[in-house]
């Protein structure tokens, strides 16, 4: 199903944190909770550049992102399998920074000590190759 599916978009709009899994050098997974913004075509995330997850993405861009909620009888989730693409400074990236501020205000501005993305951060898009969902209802 496409990321643009209204059920997927509505579910992601309720989430503040997703789990990003990257591929370690030994081939194993590493999962980390991440802030994100989503659109009809991709997800965007920001990280400190000097982290293992960013090193993993530079070496192997394959990722799995999971958003979930529920109880033992009502599990709902969206899983995005795709590839990470780093974004350099551009109007697109600046627009996404604004969306991050809108979603995570005022915490992000305090964390960054302002509105500008710090130079030690990188932004990347997750371009889906496959999107799976469970429990979101019928189309």
């Amino acid at each position: 199903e496409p990321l643009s599916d209204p059920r997927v978009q509505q579910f992601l709009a309720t989430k503040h944190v997703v789990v990003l899994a990257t591929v370690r050098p030994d081939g194993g997974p590493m999962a980390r909770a991440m802030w994100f913004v989503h659109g009809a075509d991709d997800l965007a995330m920001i990280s400190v550049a000097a982290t293992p997850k960013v090193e993993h993405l530079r070496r192997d861009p394959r990722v799995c992102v999971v958003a979930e909620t529920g109880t033992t009888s009502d599990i709902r989730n969206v899983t995005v399998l795709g590839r990470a693409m780093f974004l350099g400074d551009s109007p697109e990236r600046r627009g996404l920074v604004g969306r991050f501020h809108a979603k995570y205000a005022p915490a992000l501005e305090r964390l960054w000590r302002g509105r500008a993305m710090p130079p030690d951060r990188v932004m990347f898009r997750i371009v889906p190759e496959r999107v799976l969902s469970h429990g979101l209802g019928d189309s």
Side-chain angles (χ1 to χ4, degrees), residues 1-3 7-8 11-12 64-67 76-81 128-136:
E1 62 199 291
L3 188 64
R7 298 169 306 137
V8 170
F11 181 76
L12 291 174
C64 179
V65 178
V66 177
R76 294 176 290 138
N77 60 54
V78 169
T79 302
V80 177
L81 303 165
E129 294 175 350
R130 189 168 180 202
V131 177
L132 307 167
S133 69
H134 174 78
L136 303 187

Side-chain angles (χ1 to χ4, degrees), residues 68-114:
E68 64 84 26
T69 192
T71 63
T72 56
S73 62
D74 179 33
I75 296 173
R76 294 176 290 138
N77 60 54
V78 169
T79 302
V80 177
L81 303 165
R83 295 185 179 272
M85 296 176 49
F86 288 91
L87 298 174
D89 188 29
S90 66
E92 176 189 15
R93 189 174 88 173
R94 289 188 292 276
L96 287 167
V97 165
R99 290 185 56 208
F100 271 95
H101 277 291
K103 184 172 183 177
Y104 297 104
L108 187 59
E109 192 165 344
R110 281 196 309 265
L111 179 67
W112 287 358
R113 296 189 174 113

